[in-house]
Amino acid sequence: MDKIDETDRATPATEGPAGRDRARAATRSFEESAARLLAPLSRLPWWAKPLRSLVIPAIFIGLGVGARLVAPAPLPVAVAVCAAVTAAAMMLVCRGSSRQMRDVDWSTADPYWNEGAHQVPVGHREVLAQAISRKRARYPAVSGIHPYLLPCPASVEDGSCDHLPCTYIGMVRVAAGHCVVVVGRRAFHMSRQAFEGVVWHEMRHHTGVMRGYGVMQVALGIAGWFAVGYLTFGWPSAIMLWLALAAIAWIHEVICDTSAGRAAGADAICRALAWKAAALRATPLLPRLGHLLTEALAPTHPPSWMRSLVARALVRR
């Protein structure tokens, strides 16, 4: 992978025109790098995510069993080892997110959006601009928040397709404090109010305290399955961990729903959830089956009806 550590810093060699040209040659454009990062969203077959939901726990349980066989330890020491694995997992997750898109020439992000923004409905563009402006004002440590239009696998630019990835709206924390707001083209058919609810929800995931919560959530999943194999508590511990990880993920979503509801209104969240549920029903059978299996094996989102009830209960009108 191309290195940009040296090109990120202003040095005499990169201050002149020739130096800047060499620095740009060592990086990728925003569009190219974002496309490489997000390609798995549209390229993975429908069965890949459910399979991953089984394989990842199996791998870490196997590592835990192997560690126990190689270096058995009393229970207090074993618990300390699992705590150390949790800390290491959190460091690795943070490091992994900080290395995503680290080869980007960020000066190409605004020209990319200026050129492609005309494809997005005017109301949706206004929602993005307002949300980005308010988040940047509240979190000065965020270097930039950049919209990216997720390409349709069938090159349908108006969002009239039935591909599940084209319903995706999300936010990714990447290198140098930048964030990428990913917008699937089927979202063009959402109402402005629903779109606003989704955008605020996703931005809450990756800013402030919730960013640390998300890192902890991933790290606990890694370390938890390792602990199931390393400690000798048997299958009940695996079931308890599955329930605990589901509860942590659901709480995460409810907090972000509530935050988004306070920014855009409870109706915005409810309309967004209704739209997402309808879009899933309109998706072809196999991708829809893959999504449902993934949620059954590794629950990350509460049912839409439950989220709507909680949003209306927690968000003050």
Side-chain angles (χ1 to χ4, degrees), residues 39-53 153 163-165 283-294:
L41 278 178
S42 55
R43 292 182 183 175
L44 288 177
W46 68 269
W47 45 263
K49 284 188 176 181
L51 182 62
R52 183 176 63 184
S53 300
H163 298 100
L164 186 59
T283 299
L285 177 61
L286 289 180
R288 185 165 75 249
L289 179 62
H291 174 82
L292 295 174
L293 284 174
T294 302

Side-chain angles (χ1 to χ4, degrees), residues 3-298:
K3 295 182 179 180
I4 65 163
D5 300 289
E6 297 301 322
T7 62
D8 278 344
R9 296 190 290 270
T11 64
T14 61
E15 286 174 356
R20 285 195 294 270
D21 289 342
R22 287 194 296 271
R24 290 193 184 98
T27 61
R28 295 188 176 92
S29 70
F30 169 77
E31 181 178 10
E32 180 186 2
S33 189
R36 287 167 61 92
L37 175 67
L38 298 165
L41 278 178
S42 55
R43 292 182 183 175
L44 288 177
W46 68 269
W47 45 263
K49 284 188 176 181
L51 182 62
R52 183 176 63 184
S53 300
L54 290 172
V55 169
I56 290 177
I59 289 173
F60 286 104
I61 289 174
L63 290 174
V65 170
R68 175 162 53 90
L69 294 175
V70 171
L75 182 59
V77 177
V79 171
V81 169
C82 292
V85 170
T86 304
M90 292 184 70
M91 292 178 62
L92 289 173
V93 171
C94 290
R95 181 173 174 79
S97 66
S98 69
R99 293 175 68 85
Q100 292 181 134
M101 294 179 66
R102 67 191 182 102
D103 56 353
V104 176
D105 177 5
W106 290 106
S107 67
T108 63
D110 287 342
Y112 159 79
W113 182 242
N114 293 336
E115 182 178 346
H118 69 276
Q119 302 175 53
V120 182
V122 175
H124 293 47
R125 290 204 305 268
E126 292 174 349
V127 166
L128 281 171
Q130 182 184 32
I132 289 171
S133 175
R134 287 170 61 179
K135 282 295 180 183
R136 290 291 308 278
R138 184 170 181 180
Y139 299 102
V142 177
S143 302
I145 302 176
H146 313 283
Y148 174 74
L149 294 178
L150 191 66
C152 174
S155 300
V156 179
E157 294 188 355
D158 64 356
S160 60
C161 65
D162 59 2
H163 298 100
L164 186 59
C166 291
T167 65
Y168 183 78
I169 303 173
M171 190 165 170
V172 184
R173 187 90 179 199
V174 292
H178 290 267
C179 296
V180 179
V181 181
V182 185
V183 181
R185 294 172 186 268
R186 286 176 70 183
F188 296 172
H189 297 279
M190 300 176 76
S191 68
R192 171 175 173 154
Q193 187 182 28
F195 184 75
E196 186 177 13
V198 177
V199 168
W200 280 109
H201 172 97
E202 294 301 331
M203 285 195 172
R204 190 68 183 101
H205 273 301
H206 294 277
T207 50
V209 175
M210 298 314 296
R211 183 191 174 204
Y213 189 105
V215 170
M216 181 194 69
Q217 182 179 336
V218 175
L220 286 177
I222 295 172
W225 292 118
F226 175 87
V228 167
Y230 191 67
L231 302 176
T232 55
F233 294 148
W235 283 106
S237 63
I239 296 172
M240 293 297 294
L241 176 64
W242 182 85
L243 293 171
L245 293 175
I248 290 170
W250 285 22
I251 291 170
H252 194 178
E253 294 300 322
V254 167
I255 292 173
C256 292
D257 282 345
T258 304
S259 177
R262 289 171 179 164
D267 284 343
I269 289 296
C270 295
R271 288 175 184 271
L273 291 168
W275 183 89
K276 294 284 279 186
L280 180 62
R281 289 194 297 269
T283 299
L285 177 61
L286 289 180
R288 185 165 75 249
L289 179 62
H291 174 82
L292 295 174
L293 284 174
T294 302
E295 281 296 319
L297 294 170

